[in-house]
Amino acid sequence: MKNVPFKGIIAYPITPFDENDTINLPLFRNMVEKLVVTGSHGIASLGSAGVMPYLSDDEKEAVTEATIQQVNRRIPTLIGVSNLTTERTVHHAQFAEKAGADAVMIIPMSYWKLTDDEIVAHYDAVAKKISIPIMAYNNPATGGVDMSPVLLKRLLEIPNVTMIKESTGDIQRMHFLRKELGEDVTFYNGSNPLALAAFAAGARGWCTAAPNLIPELNLDLYKAIEKNQLAEAQNVFYKQVELLKFIVAKGLPRAVKAGLDILGEESGHLRKPLKPLTEKEFEEFRKILIGIKN
Amino acid sequence: MKNVPFKGIIAYPITPFDENDTINLPLFRNMVEKLVVTGSHGIASLGSAGVMPYLSDDEKEAVTEATIQQVNRRIPTLIGVSNLTTERTVHHAQFAEKAGADAVMIIPMSYWKLTDDEIVAHYDAVAKKISIPIMAYNNPATGGVDMSPVLLKRLLEIPNVTMIKESTGDIQRMHFLRKELGEDVTFYNGSNPLALAAFAAGARGWCTAAPNLIPELNLDLYKAIEKNQLAEAQNVFYKQVELLKFIVAKGLPRAVKAGLDILGEESGHLRKPLKPLTEKEFEEFRKILIGIKN
Amino acid sequence: MKNVPFKGIIAYPITPFDENDTINLPLFRNMVEKLVVTGSHGIASLGSAGVMPYLSDDEKEAVTEATIQQVNRRIPTLIGVSNLTTERTVHHAQFAEKAGADAVMIIPMSYWKLTDDEIVAHYDAVAKKISIPIMAYNNPATGGVDMSPVLLKRLLEIPNVTMIKESTGDIQRMHFLRKELGEDVTFYNGSNPLALAAFAAGARGWCTAAPNLIPELNLDLYKAIEKNQLAEAQNVFYKQVELLKFIVAKGLPRAVKAGLDILGEESGHLRKPLKPLTEKEFEEFRKILIGIKN
Amino acid sequence: MKNVPFKGIIAYPITPFDENDTINLPLFRNMVEKLVVTGSHGIASLGSAGVMPYLSDDEKEAVTEATIQQVNRRIPTLIGVSNLTTERTVHHAQFAEKAGADAVMIIPMSYWKLTDDEIVAHYDAVAKKISIPIMAYNNPATGGVDMSPVLLKRLLEIPNVTMIKESTGDIQRMHFLRKELGEDVTFYNGSNPLALAAFAAGARGWCTAAPNLIPELNLDLYKAIEKNQLAEAQNVFYKQVELLKFIVAKGLPRAVKAGLDILGEESGHLRKPLKPLTEKEFEEFRKILIGIKN
């Protein structure tokens, strides 16, 4: 298998702000620490949950360094370095490598829909400038570009593009990747409500912000899969599915913040234009989360 | 559990015609017989694979009787009785009950999109006129109406609507049904490429035309699930997934006919406007099917 | 120009039933008469508004004959003859021609999505059996098949397919037809809320059930277009656009029936599973319709 | 009517780069000059055509100043100031006002889908910090957020949000705005292939990059509309519709650059990941453009 540092539960911290819209780095480091000590198998900052596109270049670099220092090689780290322009993507990928990241994650962000050739050239340009592996991330709901399984297969021909993160929620994409590329292809699931189906289809890991709130259940699902126990996996999945659907439907940064508030943990502020959940949404989530914890 | 006659592999025969566009009943009975003797757990005629909407009332009745006589209670039978009007649906449901069917399957066919209240009244009107159980069938790709999980939940409140067949291919619908209705809800998967994910999610059975071509693989998947062996289920699923996708993409009647031709079995003719696969599609399918059989 | 009997406002009567679910033919003839005397330029029965797919063969034939007799050649008549099978479509097309229809309208109804070749063969088979012109009707929302502009262009190569009715509501389809086929192509608009834009794009006529309720406004729009008066057309369009959107959103048979009730005219019953508008919808429609009439 | 500086043809320059990926400001000013002297009624820089999201803050400010200096109040100027965060949007809006812009254009860019309340708060925060009018811009295909007509109506309640630019290509949105808000509402069309239908529906202007290539035809369409001559408008629209569809389908920056190359004018370079049209696309466009010019 190619250079693939991740498997299991890859946890995504949010990026918390203080009341002056400055990143609260000490709180961020606490959040990362909690994800490590509760057992996650990898840490991925500057993802969608981490509101990466809302950050300035300086802020992204500060979060990158904070992540890597805090994790301190206890588990592998993955850093989001996506940007609308190729030049900025290269810049952030190189920064992450120098800072000590084990891999970078890239989603082809679009304003103008990119052609397949533009996307391949974009990944290729970054890949040539770094030596750590790249996770190609497909999530049309946030990035605005939908990379077909055929395009993902093309990307995997670039030497250090070694991992696919599929977040469309379409299980057939994973079937295609596995069928086309054989058992060696390494794909990860990024759609929370698809966690059980994706593991059943052969996903090597689950990229998720849920461990900020319910790390034990997330890990238990993976353990059941590793033990080849379908009935147990089904059982533990149905315990968490409502929460998984809720946090996706409401947006991960808003929902994780609300969940931390419900659990009585420090959550920080959101960056505008993002606003907290409404009171009604908050109460709906409280019921779901308290129901799970009891 | 309520009155639920089916579990496992529920096999759907096609309806073959002769060159004069008349149903070839002896061939149809052979096809049913093959499905029974190769091990299917139930037989469902007059479904989508059976081109039910293309048949006259007399033809539907002949197929109903032929099915029930041929199966002869060795395994349970399910008869499709869907119609655009409520009056005709009642008529065919009553006919199926008298003929000895174990259950009927109803999809709310639409020309005008039906409201939820119209759909509930439609099922209720049929349910009051028969005493055998009803499988409510959701397949917007053919029927044109998409019944939400919330509506399906409402239908299950009608006493003899005891089963749901979900063919949208959206695994989240099954999660919703199971989560809302508990472990007692009986749902079946009607989307072939979703077979593994649906069983993982708790589907009680798989409604499929694939046993016309590859009954052993279909049954092996179910056996692995029953034994709680996820890795084995995954392995046997990936052996058949390409075929499952192909037969759905090309339309079940066209694809099953082509598959029988490839296997050297009698397949009959299609009713116009349906036409056989093109030569190119046929060759593509031959590769897939021969690849599986070897 | 090829054989094209229609322009202007082509009016679609509904099909009314009595309380025993039998077609109320005298009431139907009254409805047709009203459409003729209020000035419509053509009459089209057995369309979507006329719930054609919900009728038996005998009922379709009775409606065909009643239409042609009642119109009595004062204006041209168009008869819907669509059916799932090619054989039944030929049958009804031949019946309509013998009964004296000026043209037939055919939508490729689908249960199984039809391929382009199947659709062309379907139209070709009918066209060879009749000598009156055919209007090819594209309405994926009811028929379930979306015929691309490229396919519609192919259909127009069949000698007596001389007219296109476009009901997708996508004005770009009309631009394509006109651009590809030149000023001689004859296309009609079947999407009520697109009436102004379609005439601006060069539609030869508007196929609509609205003249059952507001014939003057429908005709005034066409008159303004004929006089090349854009501002006047815009003005008269905005007077009726809310009603046009409402009757499409609620389904033409339900909405026209409700409108007739509001206007104090006889409306008959709907065939199940169709149900009347809810009380709330009815009141919403009353406000719109009374607002227009005053 | 509220403070509304624009009507007619509002022209969007592209942003050209040199071979070192630096904005070519002299060329940009030439492009703006050409748009002014060929008769456009307004200039809008930093729009989608101007690849605004791909520019750094410094670059945006340089383009803003270059636009306003070059136009020099001969016609009104509109500056795009959209940003993912509210803080940056306020910053750029204030910069544009100080630099002398007549209005700013804001599209609610999304990574996380924004709620209606978040969008209203976002516009409101900007509106409070500037005194020039705001054009609210809806274009889900680029921005990723689809603002419903109901939300647009809400935005118009903010005092200096006085204009709507609708780029969904759905003519029904315009009908709704006009019907709900009366003849005083000021909406502009941003979907090139909808130009005729939008003017027919009452759009006050057309926001378009087409004047970079075919200014006369764009202006002729508006003149025919102003003269209330529908047939003439239709005629001049069909002369340009293929080009309008092509430049949207291929992406405005790529297509305008190619068009300038075909016309023998200086076009500059694109910023990566954007790439020029393929040779095949270029030839297809040459045929369209040369066909129009002859």
Side-chain angles (χ1 to χ4, degrees):
Chain A
M1 192 173 288
K2 292 200 288 184
N3 186 3
V4 170
F6 301 97
K7 71 169 190 171
I9 305 299
I10 300 114
Y12 282 63
I14 61 169
T15 302
F17 299 86
D18 65 20
E19 61 263 22
N20 301 317
D21 206 26
T22 305
I23 296 181
N24 186 336
L25 277 178
L27 178 53
F28 174 76
R29 293 178 71 142
N30 285 351
M31 288 172 170
V32 170
E33 183 63 23
K34 184 185 139 194
L35 292 170
V36 174
V37 299
T38 51
S40 290
H41 305 111
I43 294 288
S45 56
L46 296 175
S48 303
V51 293
M52 185 265 288
Y54 297 75
L55 306 186
S56 71
D57 287 2
D58 287 350
E59 289 174 328
K60 290 175 190 174
E61 297 179 359
V63 169
T64 300
E65 288 175 333
T67 304
I68 293 165
Q69 286 166 16
Q70 188 65 37
V71 174
N72 197 20
R73 308 224 162 270
R74 287 176 285 175
I75 53 176
T77 53
L78 175 67
I79 304 292
V81 299
S82 317
N83 201 285
L84 274 164
T85 69
T86 303
E87 185 269 331
R88 282 290 89 187
T89 310
V90 168
H91 170 86
H92 291 299
Q94 289 180 321
F95 185 91
E97 178 170 20
K98 267 178 218 150
D102 293 287
V104 294
M105 176 173 67
I106 299 178
I107 182 172
M109 297 175 71
S110 93
Y111 187 76
W112 288 103
K113 296 285 169 270
L114 300 176
T115 65
D116 282 7
D117 285 348
E118 286 171 345
I119 292 170
V120 171
H122 181 68
Y123 277 95
D124 198 54
V126 182
K128 286 202 170 89
K129 298 288 192 178
I130 59 174
S131 56
I132 54 175
I134 295 173
M135 180 185 285
Y137 172 26
N138 189 38
N139 191 354
T142 54
V145 176
D146 190 359
M147 297 195 284
S148 69
V150 172
L151 173 57
L152 292 173
K153 190 181 163 190
R154 250 179 96 185
L155 292 181
L156 286 167
E157 294 167 11
I158 300 172
N160 47 343
V161 177
T162 62
M163 301 170 278
I164 299 291
K165 175 181 170 190
E166 244 295 338
S167 295
T168 55
D170 175 4
I171 191 73
Q172 306 307 333
R173 311 275 186 122
M174 296 178 183
H175 295 159
F176 177 90
L177 289 172
R178 170 69 171 269
K179 194 70 199 169
E180 283 292 306
L181 300 169
E183 295 196 11
D184 275 357
V185 71
T186 307
F187 62 89
Y188 299 83
N189 171 43
S191 168
N192 284 304
L194 205 68
L196 173 60
F199 276 131
R204 183 172 168 86
W206 174 17
C207 297
T208 174
N212 290 290
L213 303 176
I214 50 166
E216 315 78 14
L217 282 174
N218 307 140
L219 291 159
D220 284 352
L221 176 59
Y222 183 64
K223 284 175 199 156
I225 295 293
E226 277 202 307
K227 287 187 296 180
N228 198 22
Q229 291 298 314
L230 178 55
E232 190 180 324
Q234 193 185 106
N235 184 43
V236 72
F237 173 70
Y238 275 112
K239 284 187 186 156
Q240 59 191 298
V241 64
E242 262 190 292
L243 179 138
L244 300 177
K245 287 165 92 165
F246 186 91
I247 64 177
V248 171
K250 298 305 173 185
L252 297 174
R254 298 183 198 97
V256 169
K257 176 191 159 39
L260 292 171
D261 289 342
I262 291 165
L263 296 176
E265 301 182 23
E266 200 180 349
S267 69
H269 294 262
L270 297 165
R271 174 162 279 182
K272 288 177 192 168
L274 296 186
K275 299 177 80 165
L277 295 191
T278 64
E279 215 168 305
K280 200 183 145 196
E281 292 169 327
F282 191 88
E283 285 313 308
E284 186 188 347
F285 195 29
R286 183 197 296 276
K287 265 189 210 160
I288 293 172
L289 188 49
I290 298 303
I292 287 174
K293 291 284 179 177
N294 291 340
Chain B
M1 196 173 288
K2 292 200 286 182
N3 186 2
V4 170
F6 302 97
K7 70 169 189 170
I9 305 299
I10 300 114
Y12 283 62
I14 62 170
T15 302
F17 299 85
D18 64 22
E19 60 263 21
N20 300 316
D21 206 27
T22 305
I23 297 181
N24 185 337
L25 278 177
L27 177 53
F28 174 75
R29 292 179 72 141
N30 284 351
M31 288 173 169
V32 169
E33 182 63 24
K34 184 185 141 196
L35 292 169
V36 175
V37 299
T38 51
S40 290
H41 306 111
I43 294 289
S45 56
L46 296 174
S48 302
V51 294
M52 186 266 289
Y54 298 74
L55 306 186
S56 70
D57 287 3
D58 287 350
E59 289 173 328
K60 290 174 191 174
E61 297 179 359
V63 168
T64 300
E65 288 175 333
T67 305
I68 293 165
Q69 287 166 14
Q70 187 67 34
V71 174
N72 197 20
R73 306 223 163 271
R74 287 174 287 175
I75 53 176
T77 53
L78 175 67
I79 304 292
V81 298
S82 317
N83 201 283
L84 273 164
T85 69
T86 302
E87 185 269 331
R88 282 288 90 186
T89 310
V90 168
H91 169 86
H92 291 299
Q94 290 180 319
F95 185 91
E97 178 169 21
K98 268 178 218 149
D102 293 289
V104 294
M105 176 173 67
I106 300 177
I107 183 172
M109 298 175 71
S110 94
Y111 188 76
W112 288 103
K113 296 284 169 272
L114 300 177
T115 66
D116 282 6
D117 285 347
E118 286 171 345
I119 292 170
V120 171
H122 181 68
Y123 277 94
D124 198 54
V126 182
K128 285 204 169 89
K129 299 288 192 178
I130 59 174
S131 57
I132 54 176
I134 295 173
M135 180 186 285
Y137 173 24
N138 190 37
N139 192 354
T142 54
V145 176
D146 190 359
M147 296 194 284
S148 70
V150 172
L151 173 56
L152 292 174
K153 191 181 162 189
R154 252 179 94 185
L155 291 181
L156 287 167
E157 293 166 12
I158 300 172
N160 47 341
V161 177
T162 62
M163 302 170 278
I164 299 290
K165 175 181 170 190
E166 243 296 337
S167 296
T168 54
D170 175 4
I171 191 73
Q172 306 307 332
R173 312 277 185 120
M174 295 178 184
H175 295 160
F176 177 90
L177 289 172
R178 170 68 171 269
K179 193 69 199 170
E180 284 291 306
L181 299 169
E183 296 196 11
D184 276 355
V185 71
T186 308
F187 62 89
Y188 299 83
N189 171 43
S191 168
N192 284 304
L194 205 69
L196 173 61
F199 277 131
R204 184 173 169 86
W206 175 16
C207 296
T208 175
N212 289 290
L213 303 175
I214 50 165
E216 316 77 14
L217 281 174
N218 307 141
L219 291 160
D220 284 353
L221 176 59
Y222 184 64
K223 284 175 199 155
I225 295 292
E226 277 201 307
K227 287 188 297 181
N228 197 23
Q229 292 297 315
L230 178 55
E232 190 181 325
Q234 192 185 106
N235 185 43
V236 72
F237 173 72
Y238 275 112
K239 284 187 186 156
Q240 59 192 301
V241 64
E242 262 189 293
L243 179 138
L244 299 177
K245 286 165 93 165
F246 186 91
I247 64 176
V248 171
K250 298 305 175 186
L252 297 174
R254 298 183 197 97
V256 169
K257 175 191 160 37
L260 292 171
D261 289 342
I262 292 164
L263 296 175
E265 301 182 24
E266 199 181 351
S267 69
H269 294 262
L270 297 165
R271 173 162 280 183
K272 286 176 193 167
L274 296 184
K275 300 178 79 165
L277 295 189
T278 64
E279 215 169 305
K280 199 183 146 198
E281 291 169 328
F282 191 88
E283 284 313 308
E284 186 188 347
F285 195 30
R286 181 196 298 275
K287 266 190 211 160
I288 294 172
L289 188 48
I290 298 303
I292 286 173
K293 291 284 179 177
N294 292 338
Chain C
M1 193 173 290
K2 293 200 287 183
N3 186 4
V4 170
F6 301 97
K7 71 168 189 171
I9 304 300
I10 300 112
Y12 283 62
I14 61 169
T15 302
F17 299 86
D18 64 20
E19 60 264 21
N20 300 317
D21 206 26
T22 305
I23 298 183
N24 185 337
L25 277 178
L27 177 54
F28 174 75
R29 293 178 72 140
N30 284 352
M31 288 173 170
V32 170
E33 183 64 22
K34 185 186 141 195
L35 292 170
V36 175
V37 300
T38 52
S40 290
H41 305 111
I43 294 288
S45 56
L46 295 175
S48 302
V51 293
M52 186 264 288
Y54 298 75
L55 306 185
S56 71
D57 287 3
D58 287 350
E59 290 174 326
K60 290 175 190 173
E61 297 179 358
V63 168
T64 300
E65 288 176 332
T67 304
I68 292 164
Q69 287 166 15
Q70 188 65 35
V71 175
N72 197 20
R73 307 226 162 270
R74 287 175 287 176
I75 53 176
T77 53
L78 176 67
I79 304 293
V81 299
S82 317
N83 202 284
L84 274 164
T85 69
T86 302
E87 185 269 331
R88 282 289 91 186
T89 311
V90 168
H91 170 86
H92 290 300
Q94 290 180 318
F95 185 91
E97 178 170 22
K98 269 179 217 149
D102 293 288
V104 294
M105 177 173 67
I106 299 178
I107 183 171
M109 296 174 72
S110 93
Y111 188 76
W112 289 103
K113 296 284 168 272
L114 300 176
T115 65
D116 283 7
D117 285 348
E118 285 172 345
I119 291 170
V120 170
H122 181 67
Y123 277 94
D124 198 54
V126 182
K128 285 203 169 90
K129 298 288 192 178
I130 59 174
S131 55
I132 53 175
I134 294 173
M135 180 185 285
Y137 172 25
N138 189 36
N139 191 355
T142 53
V145 175
D146 191 359
M147 296 195 283
S148 70
V150 172
L151 173 58
L152 292 173
K153 191 181 162 190
R154 252 179 94 185
L155 291 181
L156 286 166
E157 293 166 12
I158 300 172
N160 46 344
V161 177
T162 62
M163 302 170 280
I164 299 290
K165 175 181 171 191
E166 242 297 337
S167 296
T168 55
D170 175 4
I171 191 73
Q172 306 307 334
R173 311 277 185 120
M174 296 179 183
H175 294 160
F176 177 90
L177 289 172
R178 170 70 171 269
K179 194 70 199 168
E180 283 291 306
L181 299 170
E183 295 194 12
D184 276 356
V185 72
T186 307
F187 62 88
Y188 299 84
N189 170 43
S191 168
N192 283 304
L194 204 70
L196 173 61
F199 277 130
R204 184 174 168 85
W206 175 16
C207 297
T208 174
N212 289 292
L213 303 176
I214 50 165
E216 317 78 16
L217 281 173
N218 307 141
L219 291 161
D220 285 352
L221 176 59
Y222 184 63
K223 285 176 198 157
I225 295 292
E226 276 202 307
K227 288 189 296 182
N228 197 23
Q229 292 298 314
L230 177 56
E232 190 180 323
Q234 192 184 107
N235 185 42
V236 71
F237 173 71
Y238 274 112
K239 284 187 185 156
Q240 60 192 298
V241 64
E242 261 189 293
L243 179 137
L244 299 177
K245 287 165 92 165
F246 185 92
I247 64 177
V248 171
K250 298 304 173 186
L252 297 173
R254 298 184 198 97
V256 169
K257 177 191 159 38
L260 293 171
D261 289 341
I262 291 165
L263 297 174
E265 301 182 23
E266 200 180 348
S267 69
H269 294 263
L270 297 165
R271 173 162 281 182
K272 287 176 193 168
L274 296 185
K275 299 178 80 166
L277 295 190
T278 64
E279 215 168 305
K280 200 183 146 197
E281 292 169 327
F282 191 89
E283 285 313 307
E284 186 187 348
F285 195 29
R286 182 197 297 276
K287 267 191 208 158
I288 293 171
L289 188 50
I290 298 303
I292 287 174
K293 292 285 178 177
N294 291 339
Chain D
M1 195 173 287
K2 292 200 285 183
N3 186 4
V4 170
F6 300 97
K7 70 170 189 170
I9 304 300
I10 299 112
Y12 283 63
I14 62 169
T15 301
F17 299 86
D18 64 21
E19 61 264 20
N20 301 317
D21 205 26
T22 304
I23 297 181
N24 185 337
L25 277 178
L27 176 55
F28 174 76
R29 292 179 72 140
N30 285 352
M31 288 173 169
V32 169
E33 183 62 24
K34 185 185 139 194
L35 292 170
V36 175
V37 299
T38 51
S40 290
H41 306 111
I43 294 288
S45 56
L46 296 174
S48 302
V51 292
M52 186 265 288
Y54 297 74
L55 306 186
S56 71
D57 287 2
D58 287 349
E59 290 173 326
K60 290 175 190 173
E61 296 179 0
V63 169
T64 300
E65 288 175 334
T67 305
I68 293 165
Q69 286 166 15
Q70 188 66 35
V71 174
N72 197 20
R73 306 224 164 273
R74 286 175 287 175
I75 53 175
T77 53
L78 176 67
I79 303 292
V81 298
S82 317
N83 202 284
L84 272 164
T85 69
T86 302
E87 185 271 330
R88 282 289 90 186
T89 310
V90 168
H91 170 86
H92 290 299
Q94 289 180 319
F95 185 91
E97 178 170 21
K98 270 179 215 147
D102 293 289
V104 295
M105 177 173 67
I106 299 177
I107 183 172
M109 298 175 70
S110 94
Y111 187 76
W112 288 102
K113 296 285 168 270
L114 300 177
T115 66
D116 283 7
D117 285 347
E118 287 171 344
I119 292 171
V120 171
H122 181 68
Y123 277 94
D124 198 53
V126 183
K128 285 205 169 89
K129 298 288 194 178
I130 59 174
S131 56
I132 54 175
I134 295 173
M135 181 185 284
Y137 172 25
N138 189 38
N139 191 354
T142 54
V145 176
D146 190 359
M147 296 194 283
S148 70
V150 171
L151 174 57
L152 292 173
K153 192 181 161 189
R154 252 179 95 184
L155 291 181
L156 287 167
E157 293 167 13
I158 300 172
N160 47 342
V161 177
T162 63
M163 302 171 280
I164 300 290
K165 175 182 171 190
E166 242 297 337
S167 296
T168 54
D170 175 4
I171 191 72
Q172 306 306 334
R173 310 277 186 121
M174 296 179 183
H175 294 159
F176 177 89
L177 288 172
R178 170 70 170 269
K179 194 69 199 170
E180 283 291 306
L181 299 169
E183 295 195 12
D184 276 356
V185 72
T186 308
F187 62 89
Y188 299 83
N189 171 43
S191 168
N192 284 303
L194 205 68
L196 173 61
F199 276 132
R204 184 174 168 86
W206 175 17
C207 297
T208 174
N212 289 291
L213 303 176
I214 51 165
E216 316 78 14
L217 281 174
N218 307 141
L219 291 160
D220 284 353
L221 176 59
Y222 184 64
K223 284 176 198 155
I225 295 292
E226 277 202 308
K227 287 188 298 180
N228 198 23
Q229 292 297 314
L230 178 55
E232 190 181 324
Q234 192 185 106
N235 184 42
V236 72
F237 173 71
Y238 275 112
K239 284 186 185 156
Q240 59 192 299
V241 64
E242 260 189 293
L243 179 137
L244 300 177
K245 287 165 92 164
F246 186 92
I247 64 177
V248 171
K250 298 304 174 186
L252 297 173
R254 299 185 197 95
V256 169
K257 176 190 160 39
L260 293 170
D261 289 341
I262 292 165
L263 296 174
E265 301 182 23
E266 199 181 350
S267 69
H269 293 262
L270 297 165
R271 174 162 280 182
K272 286 176 194 167
L274 296 185
K275 300 178 79 166
L277 295 189
T278 64
E279 216 169 305
K280 199 183 146 198
E281 292 169 327
F282 192 88
E283 285 313 308
E284 186 188 347
F285 195 29
R286 183 196 296 275
K287 267 190 208 159
I288 293 171
L289 188 49
I290 299 303
I292 286 174
K293 291 284 178 178
N294 291 338

